[in-house]
Amino acid sequence: MAEYKPHTIEQKWQQRWREARAFEVVEDPSKPKFYCLEMFAYPSGHAHMGHVRNYSIGDVVARLKRMRGFNVLHPFGWDAFGLPAENAAIKNRTHPETWTLDNIAHMKGQLQRLGISYAWEREIATCLPEYYHWNQWLFLKMLERDLAYRKRSSVNWCPSCQTVLANEQVIDGRCWRCKSLVETRDLEQWFLKITHYADELVDDMAQLGAWPEKVLTMQRNWVGRSAGARVRFAVEGDGQVEVFTTRIDTIYGANFLVLAPEHPLVRTFADAAPDPAAFRAQVAKFTAQDKSARMTGDVEKEGFDTGRRAINPFTGKPIPIWVANFVLIDYGTGAVMGVPGHDERDFEFARKYGLPVTIVVQPDDAPIDAATMTEAHAGEGRLVNSGPYDGLPWEEANRAMTAEAKARGIGEGTVQYRLKDWGISRQRYWGTPIPVIHCPTDGLVPVPYDHLPVILPKIAEFSGRGDSPLAQIPEFVNVTCPTCGGPARRETDTMDTFVDSSWYFFRFCDPKDGQLPFDPETVGYWGPVDFYVGGVEHAILHLIYSRFFTRVFRDLGMTHLGEPFTTLLTQGMVLKDGEVMSKSVGNVVDPDAMIEKYGADALRLYVMFVAPPEKEIEWSDAGIEGSWRFLSRVWRLTDSLVESIGGEGIPLPSQVELNDAERALRRKTHETIKRVTIDLDPRVHLNTAVSAMMELVNELYAFCSANRGVAVGAGEEADTVGRVDRPGTIAVLKEAIEALVRMLSPFAPHMCEELWEALGHTGGIVAAGWPDYDEAVAKASEIVVPVQVNGKVRGRVTVPADASDDELRAAALADPQVKAHVDGKTVKKVVVARGKLVSIVVG
């Protein structure tokens, strides 16, 4: 064999894989299936190290599963609609389609050079009609089932992107993509009724035991299910205000009501106010503030008295109605009862504006006084100042008051959700056209199924104005109503790009279907996704929408699945100089440059070895060079031994007599196979698997050097080993080297295919399968156990692996180094942790 030349080897095997269609699969009921998927890429132009890490993690798992006999589906595609392409078109006078497809071609080439084992014949791009046709089909199905609807709504508006944002897309008051401050506007919008599945989205998390708990917590908090009661307060003069509360037991302490500035009653009060203009100016001040900051309390709590009064339905007393910035119309009913004695937010507001505080729940351990308290008591206790409910524990009172409210017709128990329906309307061009026609006679008319897809028309120029670019194309807008035949107008909003990513994993199962989004039987074989990899930043947006769409498809009878992803791994980010790699920071490391310098296998190995996959990694040029040096060591070792161990006819280690050194190497080989197997499946501890293989390589070099004495030269050449003659040595080296090459192949597939072929094998390394280990061989005959004296390690003892606690204790106390620290002192305690530690406590 020649010297290790990664570029030549990688090009050779990538070409072979393409010609052999090595990673293309069909359904095969005779084999267990495994659907491995990484979140598909937005084609921004160039792959970055975050992509490299994400896709390499998935590829290691996919290649391992193939070797273990699974029928592996490992597809890839492009999340190709979205604002960046349109913004690039405005900036560069390039059509979004041209920009997107050019970027796809470039990024695809990068991923192919990495050797990711994708089934490229299943590639999809969401900007193509053959994909977004089915976005429109599903929208019409949801419209038929009242899961899609249109209403006027207060929405989040990004002035930079010139479009509506879902609540989930507003982070700390800013647009999730461009970071501009978000404003509030009232617009007619299309919504998808995700709230229909709110209970399922929470309850079915019990099935997601292989998801990170932090993701499940984020989703639970986002759905925000709360059990409580709705209670109606009559407004003096006319009308009523409905509030939601989880603590109706505190209602006797409700001394004021607070309305969101967007509440419909606020407009009515403004019209009747002595100075309507001043009233509206105060309201406008609040509505202009960032909605997220208002919700989280990151703005100063402000309010004003409307001059109107409501009647507390339990006390019968009039209480003032205020408007305040910390109440939002999108949460609860847009109105809250102010109970300052038992809610911290209400307490701060009451103290600021001199509103009365009444204690109605007294803790059992330390009574509180309204005049002297410095914070609200939001906990448990018994009721006081609550009429007939005095003395009851708060939970009992809660149930009793809810029942009273229902009996009197002023309220009822209910469950409230923080989750709101998903607004999908976007006033931009580069997205799926919403398949609806507005007819002056027939109203909203769905586009007939046989007229789909509604093709996104070509646009020559983009202004970036807030109204939809599609509205400027008369030939697109002006249509004939399919119901009455009269003139009508086509909907000009496009769908949120997250619609595209909410079901793409189903389309991968059947990407060429022209009759349906996918064939139910095909998805029945491949689904669910067994292993899904992507960033934790998608915990709310993409993952909760995907769970929603899966349930819609289930209820359409197209899948038996309730959950789309069985195992979820959220990989950590790649940092450089302590910061996330970013062009704006100027710390980007180009994957192409690293592949050119070190090869794809070294890059893949480095990002797998440097840290556990869910942790952040700090990029290091020295680190990737170290991975290249390790691969070179494996190459040279195998090259030196090919003549001795390659080919057929070499006996197995079990068929020949082995000496102590050979038995020790064989034990290390089987121990390593066991460690790597468990680390990869099911634990996905990729870094420790690589570490175990590095230990085996060191052991192999030490064995060869000790048994042959053939290390020559200095530096790199000192690693060279020569021809081997002893049958036992040949047998254990062949077993070790072939196991190493197979275990390393998911990480460094190109080099390992080349080594496997050089060792005399045909048919490829996948056909060879994953190496098995013998538990008896892997078991150590002796172990080394550290011994502590008063918490400090003072010695180590070597004992039989099956030594008892008494034998370990005796060996520890007899060790000369340990005795030096024990003699002349009283041994108070000896604690034995079998196989791990002996701890001696002396006086």
Side-chain angles (χ1 to χ4, degrees):
M1 291 165 59
E3 64 178 294
Y4 178 43
K5 295 182 178 179
H7 305 101
T8 302
I9 295 168
E10 288 164 7
Q11 290 172 13
K12 168 187 171 179
W13 285 100
Q14 288 164 16
Q15 179 65 24
R16 281 206 191 176
W17 293 333
R18 281 193 295 271
E19 292 172 354
R21 302 178 64 246
F23 311 121
E24 306 300 334
V25 290
V26 295
E27 299 75 53
D28 183 355
S30 69
K31 298 173 69 176
K33 70 90 182 179
F34 189 81
Y35 188 173
C36 181
L37 188 64
E38 301 91 61
M39 294 181 185
F40 64 173
Y42 183 80
S44 58
H46 293 267
H48 52 67
M49 284 301 171
H51 291 127
V52 172
R53 192 178 194 209
N54 185 4
Y55 307 146
S56 295
I57 291 169
D59 198 44
V60 168
V61 173
R63 288 178 179 275
L64 168 74
K65 288 292 187 177
R66 285 192 195 94
M67 294 180 72
R68 302 197 78 180
F70 286 80
N71 192 28
V72 176
L73 175 61
H74 190 206
F76 197 75
W78 310 95
D79 193 9
F81 271 142
L83 288 175
E86 190 167 341
N87 290 341
I90 296 167
K91 180 179 179 180
N92 302 320
R93 298 184 179 276
T94 302
H95 195 277
E97 184 177 53
T98 302
W99 188 86
T100 300
L101 296 181
D102 286 350
N103 288 348
I104 286 174
H106 182 85
M107 291 183 72
K108 182 176 180 179
Q110 288 182 295
L111 297 184
Q112 289 174 328
R113 287 192 291 278
L114 277 167
I116 309 293
S117 61
Y118 288 136
W120 282 110
E121 292 177 13
R122 294 174 180 260
E123 179 183 14
I124 60 175
T126 61
C127 64
L128 300 179
E130 53 264 35
Y131 185 86
Y132 68 72
H133 175 165
W134 304 111
N135 286 346
Q136 296 170 343
W137 180 92
L138 183 59
F139 177 89
L140 295 179
K141 292 294 183 184
M142 295 173 80
L143 196 62
E144 291 170 3
R145 301 170 74 87
D146 294 324
L147 293 175
Y149 64 94
R150 193 168 186 256
K151 71 172 183 178
R152 191 165 189 84
S153 175
S154 175
V155 297
N156 304 303
W157 178 263
C158 175
S160 175
C161 295
Q162 294 281 295
T163 194
V164 169
L165 302 174
N167 287 338
E168 300 94 315
Q169 295 165 326
V170 180
I171 301 172
D172 296 329
R174 296 182 179 272
C175 172
W176 72 285
R177 187 173 292 281
C178 75
K179 313 305 179 190
S180 296
L181 284 170
V182 172
E183 302 171 355
T184 300
R185 291 193 180 184
D186 280 350
L187 294 174
E188 288 285 338
Q189 297 286 292
W190 284 99
F191 291 84
L192 301 183
K193 196 177 292 184
I194 190 173
T195 54
H196 179 74
Y197 296 98
D199 284 324
E200 277 194 52
L201 291 171
V202 174
D203 294 339
D204 291 354
M205 288 183 196
Q207 304 173 24
L208 303 178
W211 281 39
E213 185 56 38
K214 63 182 176 182
V215 172
L216 298 178
T217 299
M218 291 167 75
Q219 291 208 1
R220 279 190 206 96
N221 291 342
W222 188 257
V223 177
R225 182 169 66 186
S226 300
R230 286 179 178 253
V231 185
R232 290 174 284 279
F233 288 65
V235 177
E236 285 186 341
D238 188 31
Q240 62 181 14
V241 175
E242 186 174 63
V243 304
F244 171 79
T245 176
T246 60
R247 293 292 302 268
I248 192 175
D249 59 290
T250 65
I251 198 168
Y252 279 82
N255 293 331
F256 54 94
L257 288 184
V258 187
L259 304 182
E262 301 88 355
H263 196 287
L265 270 182
V266 173
R267 299 189 187 97
T268 302
F269 293 167
D271 292 341
D275 187 347
F279 192 112
R280 294 190 184 100
Q282 293 182 88
V283 172
K285 175 185 176 182
F286 296 159
T287 57
Q289 293 174 336
D290 168 55
K291 187 184 294 185
S292 296
R294 285 169 54 196
M295 180 180 67
T296 59
D298 290 340
V299 296
E300 182 183 355
K301 296 175 181 62
E302 295 182 278
F304 65 91
D305 191 341
T306 65
R308 305 296 292 268
R309 297 290 180 268
I311 304 300
N312 184 318
F314 277 74
T315 67
K317 297 178 181 178
I319 57 175
I321 302 175
W322 285 62
V323 174
N325 61 350
F326 63 83
V327 182
L328 279 80
I329 192 64
D330 289 337
Y331 297 91
T333 63
V336 300
M337 62 181 199
V339 186
H342 306 286
D343 181 276
E344 190 60 31
R345 182 183 57 184
D346 296 347
F347 179 79
E348 292 176 11
F349 191 75
R351 286 293 194 239
K352 178 173 181 176
Y353 290 102
L355 296 168
V357 177
T358 303
I359 301 300
V360 293
V361 179
Q362 276 286 5
D364 295 330
D365 53 350
I368 53 177
D369 180 77
T372 59
M373 64 191 303
T374 57
E375 61 182 10
H377 169 61
E380 303 176 355
R382 293 181 178 272
L383 268 62
V384 296
N385 301 320
S386 298
Y389 297 98
D390 281 356
L392 288 181
W394 76 272
E395 287 181 306
E396 184 179 338
N398 205 310
R399 291 189 292 269
M401 289 183 181
T402 301
E404 180 186 337
K406 183 176 182 180
R408 291 171 55 194
I410 59 170
E412 58 279 321
T414 187
V415 176
Q416 185 73 39
Y417 300 91
R418 182 178 182 270
L419 179 72
K420 299 301 175 184
D421 285 337
W422 175 12
I424 64 163
S425 292
R426 298 295 180 266
Q427 293 67 45
R428 296 304 293 262
Y429 166 72
W430 194 235
T432 300
I434 295 175
V436 170
I437 291 168
H438 300 271
C439 175
T441 302
D442 298 301
L444 295 176
V445 179
V447 171
Y449 286 101
D450 59 0
H451 290 190
L452 298 181
V454 177
I455 299 293
L456 190 65
K458 294 285 186 180
I459 293 181
E461 294 185 8
F462 300 86
S463 66
R465 294 183 300 172
D467 50 341
S468 171
L470 294 179
Q472 314 307 313
I473 308 174
E475 56 271 31
F476 176 80
V477 175
N478 299 319
V479 293
T480 299
C481 173
T483 300
C484 69
R489 291 178 59 83
R490 196 183 295 280
E491 173 64 65
T492 58
D493 282 357
T494 53
M495 296 184 193
D496 181 5
T497 185
F498 280 98
V499 170
D500 304 320
S501 59
S502 293
W503 68 280
Y504 77 107
F505 42 89
F506 286 142
R507 185 65 177 176
F508 274 139
C509 299
D510 188 23
K512 309 300 181 186
D513 198 318
Q515 304 303 312
L516 288 169
F518 51 83
D519 174 54
E521 288 190 14
T522 304
V523 167
Y525 173 80
W526 288 116
V529 175
D530 295 284
F531 184 74
Y532 196 39
V533 189
V536 72
E537 66 271 18
H538 299 292
I540 298 300
L541 297 168
H542 162 59
L543 289 173
I544 205 165
Y545 293 156
S546 297
R547 298 180 65 217
F548 165 45
F549 269 48
T550 298
R551 285 161 173 77
V552 174
F553 278 119
R554 179 201 62 195
D555 291 349
L556 289 172
M558 294 193 65
T559 178
H560 66 285
L561 301 174
E563 293 293 342
F565 315 119
T566 301
T567 297
L568 173 69
L569 188 150
T570 53
Q571 89 282 356
M573 293 184 175
V574 182
L575 312 180
K576 182 73 162 64
D577 302 324
E579 295 188 76
V580 176
M581 284 191 185
S582 167
K583 290 180 181 178
S584 61
V585 178
N587 64 348
V588 171
V589 176
D590 183 4
D592 285 345
M594 293 298 102
I595 292 173
E596 180 63 30
K597 186 172 183 179
Y598 297 105
D601 283 344
L603 177 57
R604 291 166 55 113
L605 184 70
Y606 169 64
V607 295
M608 297 299 94
F609 171 62
V610 68
E614 66 277 6
K615 302 295 184 181
E616 292 179 340
I617 67 173
E618 175 68 33
W619 177 267
S620 163
D621 289 349
I624 187 173
E625 183 168 345
S627 293
W628 179 85
R629 290 169 64 86
F630 169 70
L631 293 179
S632 298
R633 290 192 79 205
V634 174
W635 179 271
R636 289 194 304 275
L637 177 66
T638 307
D639 178 34
S640 298
L641 292 170
V642 159
E643 187 178 350
S644 301
I645 67 173
E648 304 298 329
I650 296 175
L652 299 174
S654 59
Q655 297 171 332
V656 295
E657 184 178 346
L658 304 180
N659 60 30
D660 288 347
E662 291 159 352
R663 279 193 294 272
L665 178 61
R666 190 168 190 232
R667 184 194 64 76
K668 184 65 175 180
T669 299
H670 284 257
E671 177 198 73
T672 304
I673 298 171
K674 179 180 179 180
R675 285 175 59 189
V676 173
T677 301
I678 294 171
D679 276 349
L680 295 186
D681 188 8
R683 296 169 62 187
V684 198
H685 290 187
L686 309 183
N687 59 315
T688 56
V690 175
S691 180
M693 288 185 279
M694 289 178 171
E695 289 181 21
L696 177 60
V697 170
N698 289 339
E699 194 90 1
L700 279 162
Y701 271 107
F703 174 86
C704 291
S705 178
N707 285 272
R708 296 295 302 162
V710 293
V712 296
E716 294 294 327
E717 293 303 317
D719 283 337
T720 304
V721 295
R723 180 171 178 82
V724 179
D725 297 314
R726 177 179 159 80
T729 299
I730 293 172
V732 295
L733 282 174
K734 181 180 178 66
E735 182 181 55
I737 292 293
E738 292 193 347
L740 171 65
V741 170
R742 285 191 281 173
M743 289 187 291
L744 187 57
S745 65
F747 298 87
H750 310 88
M751 186 191 80
C752 291
E753 289 278 17
E754 187 74 8
L755 293 177
W756 193 248
E757 187 175 75
L759 288 165
H761 301 290
T762 58
I765 206 162
V766 171
W770 189 255
D772 293 322
Y773 62 89
D774 185 320
E775 188 74 59
V777 175
K779 185 177 180 180
S781 59
E782 292 183 328
I783 56 174
V784 178
V785 181
V787 182
Q788 288 183 350
V789 178
N790 287 353
K792 293 185 179 181
V793 175
R794 298 301 188 182
R796 286 175 170 81
V797 294
T798 301
V799 296
D802 58 356
S804 67
D805 286 359
D806 288 341
E807 289 170 329
L808 270 170
R809 185 180 294 107
L813 291 171
D815 182 76
Q817 289 180 300
V818 174
K819 288 182 69 175
H821 294 277
V822 173
D823 285 349
K825 300 175 183 176
T826 301
V827 176
K828 294 184 174 181
K829 184 166 55 175
V830 179
V831 178
V832 177
R834 278 189 66 91
K836 296 182 179 179
L837 179 72
V838 178
S839 179
I840 302 171
V841 179
V842 297

